[in-house]
């Protein structure tokens, strides 16, 4: 198989679909996932109230959801290998919409708990399938575009958080709030269509070649630096996303209508950061971007920890989002280049760090919040973010990939783009 590099316009695929279409569909799935995650995160206080759950019980549910997402990531890996990422994306997003409805109308705690677990499984399957597709699309473009997908995720999260705040202000019960989100997620899922990518094996336009493999031990070794950054990024993300609504409501006395605004501001910051991240990576390189992002996130989280009022917390949450914005797409892009012929294998393993970060962030901050120490929950990830400065050097462009791949770099670009050898000419 071969991939074109440095094309000035997206090439048309062999089956009439377009690379631009594949990019558009991938961004749509990222947006659907952003809506779904925001729906769950911004309704935590309302669900607690409806089901008469304690903060510790809600923390346990969040941990169960995260563990289920980890399992769903590896289940999604198997499904991607069997059916391709596009089919898995569509099915997983529709499942997420159905489970949002199940959470909304669950008659009791047991049913709600089961719905959260199923939502986690769907979330994990979306993660591995959409990131696999995104890595493939970026590889075909031959330049950094992954941050734009995550910008779509964040923009959708902002819209969903504002939707929660708006309908809560109107006095709607949480059942109707979650139903509105579920309908939006389902509508986005129905727009997903397959678009074949050019220069892929004829046996399947979406499946990777089976021989693009690196040894298991070596894969983990090369993943660890990116995994550590991803872990800390998700500690920060889950601490702000999962509990900022509760923090504003319980500690800073914000109303149920105002409490989701910190989540919306955080996602607005990530939208802004990710909208310009690809340009910054190409201009100054990923090392400088990682260092600056880590320092900004650390300062913003420290500010969030000492926030005197909820409007101040909303502003600092926005700055935290701006800082952490580029970290996840840079990790995914770097990991996807380790094994370009089968990125889903690497990304499923990278997701282990993702969900460990979510467990640590959501679990620890939820536990601290349940005992009235939400401020400490934001001070700890601030210190972790400072430590990320030392890992930035691992993002220097290198020649990744299996032995049979060569690499090239576009002039002025900090991304190394793998170009696989045409296997049809092998003896």
């Amino acid at each position: 198989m071969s991939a074109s590099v440095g094309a000035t316009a997206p090439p048309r695929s062999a089956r009439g679909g377009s690379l631009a279409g594949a990019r558009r569909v991938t961004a749509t799935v990222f947006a659907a996932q952003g809506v779904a995650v925001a729906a769950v995160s911004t309704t935590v206080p309302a669900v607690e109230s409806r089901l008469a759950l304690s903060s510790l019980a809600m923390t346990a549910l969040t941990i169960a959801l995260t563990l289920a997402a980890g399992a769903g990531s590896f289940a999604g890996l198997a499904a991607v290998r069997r059916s391709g990422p596009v089919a898995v994306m569509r099915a997983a997003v529709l499942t997420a919409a159905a489970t949002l409805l199940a959470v909304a109308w669950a008659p009791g705690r047991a049913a709600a708990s089961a719905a959260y677990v199923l939502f986690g499984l769907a979330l994990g399957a979306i993660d591995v399938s959409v990131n696999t597709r995104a890595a493939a699309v970026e590889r075909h473009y031959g330049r950094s575009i992954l941050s734009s997908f995550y910008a779509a995720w964040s923009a959708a999260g902002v819209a969903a958080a504002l939707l929660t705040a708006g309908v809560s202000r109107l006095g709607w019960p949480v059942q109707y709030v979650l139903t509105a989100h579920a309908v939006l997620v389902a509508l986005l899922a129905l727009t997903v269509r397959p678009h074949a990518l050019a220069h892929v094996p004829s046996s399947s336009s979406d499946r990777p070649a089976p021989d693009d493999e690196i040894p298991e031990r070596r894969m983990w070794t090369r993943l660890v630096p990116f995994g550590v950054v991803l872990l800390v990024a998700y500690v920060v993300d889950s601490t702000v996303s999962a509990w900022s609504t509760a923090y504003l409501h319980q500690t800073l006395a914000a109303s149920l209508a105002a409490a989701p605004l910190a989540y919306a501001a955080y996602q607005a910051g990530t939208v802004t950061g990710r909208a310009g991240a690809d340009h910054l990576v190409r201009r100054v390189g990923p090392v400088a971007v990682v260092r600056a992002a880590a320092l900004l996130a650390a300062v913003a989280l420290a500010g969030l920890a000492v926030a005197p009022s909820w409007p101040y917390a909303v502003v600092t949450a926005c700055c935290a989002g701006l800082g952490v914005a580029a970290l996840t797409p840079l990790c995914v892009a770097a990991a996807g280049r380790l094994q370009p012929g089968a990125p889903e294998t690497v990304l499923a393993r990278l997701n282990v760090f993702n969900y460990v970060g979510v467990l640590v962030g959501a679990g620890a901050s939820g536990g601290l919040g349940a005992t009235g120490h939400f401020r400490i929950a934001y001070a700890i990830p601030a210190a972790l973010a400072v430590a990320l400065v030392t890992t930035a050097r691992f993002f220097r462009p290198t020649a990744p990939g299996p032995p049979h791949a060569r690499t090239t770099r576009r002039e002025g670009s900090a991304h190394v783009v793998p170009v696989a050898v045409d296997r049809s000419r092998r003896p």
Side-chain angles (χ1 to χ4, degrees), residues 203-271:
S203 58
S204 171
S205 62
D206 285 329
R207 298 175 195 171
D211 57 342
D212 281 346
E213 297 179 359
I214 57 178
E216 186 78 8
R217 182 178 299 179
R218 186 183 175 200
M219 180 191 297
W220 281 109
T221 300
R222 296 176 70 179
L223 270 180
V224 166
F226 309 121
V228 169
V229 175
L230 191 69
L231 188 153
V232 175
Y234 273 96
V235 167
V236 174
D237 184 81
S238 61
T239 301
V240 178
S241 297
W243 296 108
S244 61
T245 302
Y247 174 47
L248 264 67
H249 183 60
Q250 296 174 17
T251 303
L252 301 179
S255 67
L256 285 177
L261 294 179
Y263 182 94
Y266 172 76
Q267 294 299 345
T270 62
V271 171

Side-chain angles (χ1 to χ4, degrees), residues 285-313:
V287 175
V289 172
V290 170
R291 285 174 179 160
L295 288 174
L296 177 57
V299 171
L301 287 166
L304 191 58
V306 300
S309 62
W310 70 260
Y312 183 92

Side-chain angles (χ1 to χ4, degrees), residues 265-420:
Y266 172 76
Q267 294 299 345
T270 62
V271 171
T272 303
R274 286 167 177 171
D278 288 324
H279 174 73
L280 282 176
V281 167
R282 293 192 291 267
R283 186 176 180 83
V284 302
V287 175
V289 172
V290 170
R291 285 174 179 160
L295 288 174
L296 177 57
V299 171
L301 287 166
L304 191 58
V306 300
S309 62
W310 70 260
Y312 183 92
V314 169
V315 174
T316 54
C318 179
C319 293
L322 186 63
V324 81
L327 296 178
T328 298
L330 279 174
C331 288
V332 172
R337 292 193 301 272
L338 293 179
Q339 192 164 307
E344 81 286 351
T345 302
V346 183
L347 295 175
R349 286 159 177 75
L350 186 68
N351 271 349
V352 171
F353 297 94
N354 170 345
Y355 295 121
V356 170
V358 173
L359 278 173
V360 173
S365 58
L368 288 167
T371 57
H373 296 93
F374 266 126
R375 295 186 185 277
I376 298 176
Y378 288 106
I380 293 172
L384 293 176
V386 172
L388 289 187
V389 174
T390 63
T391 66
R393 61 189 178 87
F394 292 102
F395 287 81
R396 287 193 181 96
T398 57
H404 61 265
R406 63 181 177 89
T407 60
T408 185
R409 183 166 60 180
R410 292 185 59 175
E411 185 177 354
S413 171
H415 261 49
V416 176
V417 182
V419 183

